[in-house]
Amino acid sequence: MNALIKSATIVDSKSDFHNETVDILIEKGRISKISKRIPNPDNYKEIKLDNLHVSQGWFDSSVSFGEPGYEERETIDNGLKTAAESGFTAVALNANTNPVIDSYADITFVKAKAQNKATSLYPIGALTKSSNSKDLAELYDMRNAGAVAFYDYQKPISNPNLLKIALQYASNFNGLIFSFPQESKISGLGVVNEHVNSTRLGLKGNPTLAEELQIARDLFLLEYTEGKLHIPTISTAKSVELIREAKAKKLDITSSVAIHNLVLTDDQLNSFDTRYKVLPPLRTQHDCDALIEGLKDGTIDMVTTDHNPIDIEDKKIEFDHAKYGTIGLEAAFGALQTVFTTKKAVSLLTQGKSRFGIKETTINVGETANLSLFNPEGKYQFNKTDITSKSKNSAYLGLDLKGKVYGVVANNKVVIK
């Protein structure tokens, strides 16, 4: 793939051309020249877009596409197209499938389905067989097939000994273990944040204690085993404090936060709209502020869309019975820019790769072209025409977002929405 990107402002603190507006020549998938003005040598494809900015390719550590088993929600093919149009050059795929991705063959299958796409797919294998929380899955075999981590998606590990053994076993091959932060006996039948709004609306509450108690337990186990742990999608102020203390102890711990838990609160629940039924639930503004501060000071390591397509039959029903989840790839950049500067939003979207063993690239001559293309300016209201996903269960519909994503240049391909 040969292309010439015209008049692009580079947003990459590791680049020799950070904050400069330049032309970028790409030949055979590599950056061959960066200069103020580059003539088109052989009638290469030109990419010239309004107020074009480019950064290192963005990474999402938690996406679900459904396939295999839930293709009516999303396929790998369309999911990766959605990711590319949303600016992501790499995504980690959850084992949120049927059958669950829990073997060497399953990892091989999803990797094969993702070949020759602009966006690279990195499978997360299930931690336990069929994600049943009883017996460890074939972790080492899945690692050899290409799994980058192990996670029973949104299913808490209720047995502490199981997590202890997983951390100890995976440390033999530097494996990364996820533990979903929820103590199910405390959360019970709660479907929203336990607070004033849950009482006022008559919806069963899921208290912050359920998350914090599980995190505290997991951190004790991590300290004991000296393993490698990632806590996905934290949502409370106290959770940030607990992880901050663990990092001060030099434990091998990382965490992420879902973007919707940064920009939305449980005040959205007034309409009983199931688009806002997510797990962990939307919390209070106090929690949002603490999570944002945790990202600013490095306590929280990365953001994620926690993109989870759900079919309309499982969303357009009573709140108590609706499935948890929102799609988020298409709105990620615009939503982040409502609470962070462009520089910080881009930084957050490019963080986390090294934790999953994914190579990082910079925008310099000789590097592989792995670029996200966007315009950081302009406000718009997010609506269904902005959605590429098969499912439309977006919590961002109707929100005012900032900035437009054009697409990506990656894996020898150009995808422009």
Side-chain angles (χ1 to χ4, degrees):
M1 181 271 295
N2 300 319
L4 178 60
I5 301 175
K6 301 291 290 183
S7 299
T9 301
I10 292 178
V11 184
D12 178 7
S13 60
K14 296 180 180 179
S15 170
D16 298 334
F17 301 89
H18 180 49
N19 283 338
E20 293 186 28
T21 300
V22 294
D23 292 355
I24 304 171
L25 182 64
I26 300 167
E27 296 181 294
K28 296 181 180 178
R30 287 192 172 273
I31 299 172
S32 61
K33 189 175 182 181
I34 300 176
S35 184
K36 286 293 182 183
R37 188 175 181 279
I38 301 174
N40 196 333
D42 292 297
N43 199 28
Y44 289 169
K45 176 183 177 66
E46 280 199 12
I47 301 171
K48 193 170 185 178
L49 300 161
D50 184 44
N51 194 31
L52 177 60
H53 286 58
V54 300
S55 73
Q56 297 178 36
W58 300 345
F59 169 63
D60 192 340
S61 61
S62 176
V63 301
S64 299
F65 289 152
E67 188 177 6
Y70 299 121
E71 286 85 356
E72 73 280 6
R73 298 178 185 177
E74 188 59 281
T75 61
I76 289 173
D77 183 67
N78 193 65
L80 291 175
K81 177 176 182 284
T82 301
E85 291 184 358
S86 303
F88 292 89
T89 62
V91 296
L93 180 72
N94 293 309
N96 187 23
T97 56
N98 183 25
V100 166
I101 301 168
D102 65 359
S103 69
Y104 186 102
D106 294 333
I107 297 293
T108 303
F109 170 80
V110 295
K111 283 176 66 71
K113 295 286 287 188
Q115 284 185 343
N116 300 316
K117 307 295 183 186
T119 299
S120 299
L121 183 149
Y122 295 91
I124 298 174
L127 181 65
T128 62
K129 293 178 181 177
S130 301
S131 289
N132 62 11
S133 297
K134 292 180 180 178
D135 302 304
L136 286 183
E138 302 167 6
L139 305 189
Y140 185 65
D141 282 355
M142 286 192 287
R143 173 63 178 266
N144 288 339
V148 294
F150 307 100
Y151 178 28
D152 291 342
Y153 181 67
Q154 291 192 344
K155 293 182 178 179
I157 304 170
S158 58
N159 181 353
N161 193 52
L162 185 64
L163 179 58
K164 184 198 77 171
I165 292 169
L167 287 166
Q168 290 172 326
Y169 176 62
S171 66
N172 291 308
F173 52 90
N174 198 32
L176 178 62
I177 302 297
F178 279 47
S179 179
F180 184 66
Q182 179 171 283
E183 166 48 68
S184 296
K185 291 182 177 65
I186 299 291
S187 61
L189 298 175
V191 292
V192 299
N193 182 46
E194 183 181 87
H195 201 249
V196 173
N197 284 327
S198 63
T199 303
R200 182 173 55 84
L201 298 170
L203 294 170
K204 299 181 186 72
N206 180 343
T208 60
L209 176 66
E211 175 171 311
E212 295 148 8
L213 195 62
Q214 190 84 342
I215 289 176
R217 182 205 75 170
D218 291 352
L219 293 174
F220 273 115
L221 290 168
L222 179 64
E223 188 170 12
Y224 177 82
T225 60
E226 299 181 348
K228 184 176 180 181
L229 182 67
H230 179 76
I231 300 178
T233 59
I234 67 170
S235 68
T236 82
K238 181 66 175 176
S239 296
V240 179
E241 289 180 26
L242 290 167
I243 292 169
R244 188 176 284 126
E245 291 167 4
K247 288 197 166 186
K249 293 181 179 180
K250 307 297 184 185
L251 300 185
D252 194 354
I253 178 72
T254 52
S255 63
S256 67
V257 58
I259 296 170
H260 50 261
N261 281 109
L262 297 173
V263 300
L264 298 171
T265 70
D266 59 359
D267 289 338
Q268 304 290 144
L269 300 171
N270 291 332
S271 62
F272 291 91
D273 194 324
T274 58
R275 289 184 295 113
Y276 304 116
K277 186 177 180 182
V278 291
L279 195 67
L282 301 178
R283 304 290 189 183
T284 66
Q285 189 60 53
H286 170 69
D287 293 304
C288 289
D289 293 341
L291 292 164
I292 290 168
E293 188 58 37
L295 286 166
K296 287 180 177 178
D297 68 17
T299 299
I300 305 173
D301 301 271
M302 62 196 85
V303 295
T304 173
T305 65
D306 204 26
H307 182 83
N308 188 7
I310 303 295
D311 53 87
I312 192 169
E313 290 82 3
D314 286 318
K315 272 294 187 182
K316 289 286 186 180
I317 54 177
E318 297 90 342
F319 202 96
D320 278 352
H321 300 296
K323 288 191 179 296
Y324 293 101
T326 177
I327 57 173
L329 286 168
E330 296 96 328
F333 177 65
L336 276 177
Q337 284 217 122
T338 64
V339 288
F340 294 107
T341 64
T342 298
K343 180 181 177 182
K344 184 62 177 177
V346 169
S347 174
L348 292 172
L349 288 167
T350 54
Q351 287 174 196
K353 294 178 187 176
S354 60
R355 185 62 166 172
F356 293 81
I358 300 169
K359 183 183 177 183
E360 298 186 40
T361 58
T362 60
I363 306 177
N364 281 313
V365 174
E367 290 276 357
T368 300
N370 187 274
L371 309 172
S372 298
L373 284 59
F374 58 95
N375 176 357
E377 301 301 327
K379 293 184 178 180
Y380 70 103
Q381 188 177 81
F382 189 78
N383 58 55
K384 285 190 176 180
T385 61
D386 298 304
I387 295 176
T388 306
S389 300
K390 287 180 68 175
S391 296
K392 312 301 177 186
N393 58 305
S394 174
Y396 301 97
L397 287 172
L399 288 187
D400 291 327
L401 306 182
K402 182 184 177 184
K404 177 181 181 180
V405 178
Y406 291 124
V408 300
V409 177
N411 286 339
N412 247 328
K413 291 180 172 52
V414 177
V415 175
I416 304 293
K417 186 171 183 178

